[in-house]
Amino acid sequence: MRLLDTIVQDTRYAVRVLLNNPGFAAITILSLALGIGANTAIFSLIDTVLLRSLPVRDPQQLVTFARDPDEPSVALNYPDYLYIRDHNRSFSAVAAYGWGGRPALSVLDEGAQAIPELVTATMVSGNFFDVLGVTPAVGRVLRPDDNLKEDGHPFVVLDYDFWQRRFAGDASAVGKRITLNGSLFTVVGVARAGFIGPEVGIHPDVYAPVMMLREVSRSIREWNNRHYWWLRSLCRLKPGVTREAAIPEMDTLWHQILQNDPQRGPVPAYDKDYWKRNR
């Protein structure tokens, strides 16, 4: 009751202050109105502009593969990504990416005085940059042959803004050796200016091959199986193929994936309740 009495007293006092100072009251109300209006405008802008486009080639041709139409999830495991990439007829290419966390980075070529920092790493398939149409500012981007053998491709591509901040835009950054969580990587290139990653709101500092996940995130060991859901897909539609036209094939491919997984067992097509029961 004391708390309630205190709230009532404070409210009465605030009202008296505002009534005795109409100018202050007007400014306060106007500030609140502008603040609420600005937040509404920002969220509307993000929803209608930023979330529907990426700074890449022909973003309107890109779609992502999601599970469960009622409760969509964009996560995939790596074997299922490979199956979709290799068996579809609707896409000219399918890329994948996932987050590698925030590993500690140090640049060996900067000498003993180099200051380590936490960087945001994104793990990508070898065709990631090609599918998005992202070219290098210097050096080269990752290629399909950079993502064939687990732990066998210690290469990274730097984000353009990170390159400017950490290396002052020096082209000699290409070829430097860096460490990510104690693992050695070689910088092979820098992504072009303007490309800030595959998702709005997440700006990676470095890109590394999916096959190097265990070296970037040391706590992860068994990632390359059908029960580790961590990847997202970016699928580029073939010319003349619409998203609506590709949906039936994706349903068929997903049904085949479920049928071919002995641990999941056969699942009837279009069983929308399956994921709710088995998550």
Side-chain angles (χ1 to χ4, degrees):
M1 292 300 293
R2 287 185 178 180
L3 177 61
L4 180 60
D5 290 340
T6 301
I7 293 174
V8 171
Q9 291 174 5
D10 289 345
T11 302
R12 287 175 178 171
Y13 176 75
V15 171
R16 286 199 303 270
V17 171
L18 291 176
L19 290 177
N20 292 332
N21 298 274
F24 174 75
I27 293 174
T28 301
I29 295 171
L30 180 60
S31 299
L32 287 172
L34 289 175
I36 295 171
N39 280 311
T40 302
I42 289 171
F43 281 105
S44 297
L45 180 65
I46 291 174
D47 179 62
T48 58
V49 179
L50 296 181
L51 295 182
R52 299 185 186 182
S53 64
L54 288 172
V56 298
R57 183 185 71 237
D58 299 325
Q60 72 279 2
Q61 295 178 353
L62 295 174
V63 296
T64 189
F65 188 75
R67 299 178 284 122
D68 188 352
D70 288 341
E71 298 180 15
S73 169
V74 293
L76 283 174
N77 59 63
Y78 193 66
D80 287 354
Y81 154 69
L82 294 178
Y83 188 87
I84 294 169
R85 184 197 68 183
D86 297 339
H87 291 82
N88 83 86
R89 297 185 301 275
S90 299
F91 308 127
S92 58
V94 180
Y97 66 96
W99 312 123
R102 290 181 63 83
L105 171 145
S106 61
V107 183
L108 300 186
D109 289 11
E110 287 185 350
Q113 302 303 315
I115 301 176
E117 65 177 290
L118 292 178
V119 298
T120 300
T122 293
M123 315 303 295
V124 300
S125 57
N127 63 348
F128 174 82
F129 291 100
D130 182 59
V131 170
L132 294 181
V134 175
T135 54
V138 295
R140 67 173 179 86
V141 293
L142 296 174
R143 304 178 300 225
D145 57 1
D146 292 323
N147 193 57
L148 300 177
K149 182 180 179 182
E150 196 164 354
D151 306 327
H153 307 279
F155 308 123
V156 293
V157 169
L158 304 180
D159 167 73
Y160 186 90
D161 292 341
F162 176 74
W163 174 56
Q164 293 287 329
R165 184 177 74 250
R166 183 70 189 245
F167 296 93
D170 187 350
S172 68
V174 176
K176 284 185 181 294
R177 295 189 305 158
I178 66 175
T179 65
L180 294 173
N181 279 352
S183 298
L184 280 171
F185 286 79
T186 299
V187 177
V188 296
V190 178
R192 66 164 172 77
F195 178 67
I196 57 174
E199 288 193 20
V200 173
I202 301 176
H203 191 161
D205 298 311
V206 298
Y207 300 86
V210 165
M211 286 291 174
M212 299 301 294
L213 178 63
R214 295 193 304 185
E215 298 299 313
V216 173
S217 298
R218 290 302 185 100
S219 62
I220 298 173
R221 305 313 299 169
E222 299 299 326
W223 64 271
N224 191 2
N225 59 64
R226 305 193 71 181
H227 304 282
Y228 189 70
W229 300 81
W230 69 290
L231 289 171
R232 297 179 180 230
S233 63
L234 285 172
C235 313
R236 184 168 291 280
L237 293 165
K238 288 182 177 179
V241 177
T242 64
R243 182 183 68 86
E244 290 72 19
I247 288 175
E249 184 191 15
M250 292 302 97
D251 288 342
T252 300
L253 284 177
W254 194 246
H255 177 63
Q256 292 170 356
I257 288 172
L258 294 176
Q259 294 287 350
N260 293 334
D261 187 344
Q263 296 193 40
R264 291 178 186 152
V267 179
Y270 309 107
D271 183 356
K272 295 181 181 180
D273 292 327
Y274 174 78
W275 290 110
K276 298 174 185 177
R277 297 194 306 268
N278 293 276
R279 284 178 179 174

